[in-house]
Amino acid sequence: MGQTFNGSETIGDIVAGFPGASNLLREYQIDFCCGGSRTLSAVLEQQQIDKSAFLARLNQMFQQAQEKRGQDTDWREASLSDLIDHIVQTHHAYLLKELPLLSEFTTKILRVHGQMHPELAQLHKLFHQMKMELEQHLITEEEMVFPLIRKAEQTGAEADISKAVNTIEELEADHSAVGTLLKEMRAVTQDYRLPEGACRTYTLTFQKLEELESDLFEHIHLENNVLFPRVKR
């Protein structure tokens, strides 16, 4: 992607070609994982974001990244197996480590602070719903879907490719459900705004939830906007 952006590109294509754009999109709370099929212009208009100012920043960041090129892997060019390995070893491993910890933290702050902050009960419920769905999702990917994609890549057989493609719609639906839960968690906490005098655990919980959201955006983007479209071709 050598040209500058003009807004006609889809969000997913922008981040696939320029991963660094995800930082700017997160700053403006633009969904680039589940909402990756929308054009940038449409999203900026919908969210009432100044298009010219946004594009100026995006293109400046892109030009700076071009000067440092070679540090990031272009997952559109890597083998499907290598991309899957990266997703499992980076993002799945992160979730398997962080979800149990965040379960403890969200439970603890609800127990200690729930009376004064009733929104923590809703946060606890939303997080654990998402945790359950993600854990089941990871099993489906690792035990069923990813092996099918690896096999299709190895054989190139139409039957194997069709089997792999047929499993993807369910995963994309799971991603949309997780995206909705992330938005609800952010809404119920008023963008993870800490109350005055928040204790260390309260502060750490909100920090880790924002880190979880950021990692999930990257994770879902790689699957929805890079891996799955390559399998469907």
Side-chain angles (χ1 to χ4, degrees):
M1 193 179 289
Q3 78 279 8
T4 53
F5 304 104
N6 59 30
S8 64
E9 308 85 0
T10 67
I11 300 292
D13 282 344
I14 291 171
V15 181
F18 173 35
S22 62
N23 296 321
L24 184 61
L25 294 168
R26 274 198 295 268
E27 181 183 330
Y28 284 87
Q29 296 186 25
I30 295 173
D31 178 5
F32 62 86
C33 51
C34 300
S37 61
R38 301 170 300 163
T39 66
L40 177 60
S41 291
V43 173
L44 295 177
E45 183 177 352
Q46 181 187 15
Q47 297 186 206
Q48 298 183 327
I49 296 168
D50 185 301
K51 181 177 176 179
S52 59
F54 186 94
L55 285 172
R57 286 190 65 190
L58 176 63
N59 285 312
Q60 182 182 28
M61 289 172 65
F62 179 67
Q63 294 304 325
Q64 290 170 347
Q66 289 290 89
E67 293 166 10
K68 300 176 183 176
R69 197 159 184 161
Q71 296 177 0
D72 293 325
T73 301
D74 188 341
W75 293 112
R76 298 170 301 173
E77 303 299 330
S79 72
L80 296 180
S81 291
D82 283 349
L83 175 51
I84 287 170
D85 286 343
H86 171 72
I87 290 169
V88 172
Q89 293 165 13
T90 304
H91 299 292
H92 286 204
Y94 171 84
L95 288 173
L96 291 172
K97 184 182 78 164
E98 292 296 321
L99 289 174
L101 287 173
L102 276 164
S103 175
E104 292 179 22
F105 287 164
T106 54
T107 300
K108 184 174 181 179
I109 63 171
L110 171 61
R111 187 184 298 277
V112 176
H113 301 283
Q115 267 194 318
M116 293 293 293
H117 300 283
E119 69 276 5
L120 293 178
Q122 184 64 8
L123 175 65
H124 183 270
K125 179 180 177 182
L126 290 166
F127 169 78
H128 282 89
Q129 183 181 345
M130 184 176 71
K131 177 178 180 287
M132 179 186 68
E133 292 184 12
L134 281 169
E135 287 169 342
Q136 293 176 0
H137 182 83
L138 298 189
I139 292 170
T140 299
E141 287 191 334
E142 292 183 21
E143 301 301 323
M144 184 177 75
V145 180
F146 288 171
L148 282 173
I149 293 174
R150 290 183 195 273
K151 185 181 179 187
E153 182 179 40
Q154 288 170 358
T155 66
E158 200 59 45
D160 291 333
I161 294 170
S162 293
K163 275 185 189 174
V165 168
N166 289 339
T167 64
I168 286 173
E169 279 189 20
E170 181 184 341
L171 296 183
E172 289 175 329
D174 289 348
H175 290 164
S176 293
V178 168
T180 298
L181 288 168
L182 287 171
K183 287 175 185 172
E184 290 176 0
M185 288 163 61
R186 184 165 278 282
V188 81
T189 58
Q190 298 182 57
D191 290 328
Y192 294 109
R193 187 172 71 187
L194 288 164
E196 191 175 341
C199 70
R200 244 179 233 179
T201 303
Y202 207 135
T203 302
L204 181 60
T205 302
F206 275 23
Q207 286 175 346
K208 289 179 82 66
L209 285 170
E210 287 199 280
E211 288 170 8
L212 175 74
E213 178 189 74
S214 177
D215 189 83
L216 278 167
F217 277 6
E218 298 286 352
H219 177 178
I220 293 172
H221 157 69
L222 281 175
E223 293 184 4
N224 275 13
N225 300 324
V226 183
L227 178 63
F228 296 163
R230 290 182 61 189
V231 176
K232 289 176 180 178
R233 278 179 195 160

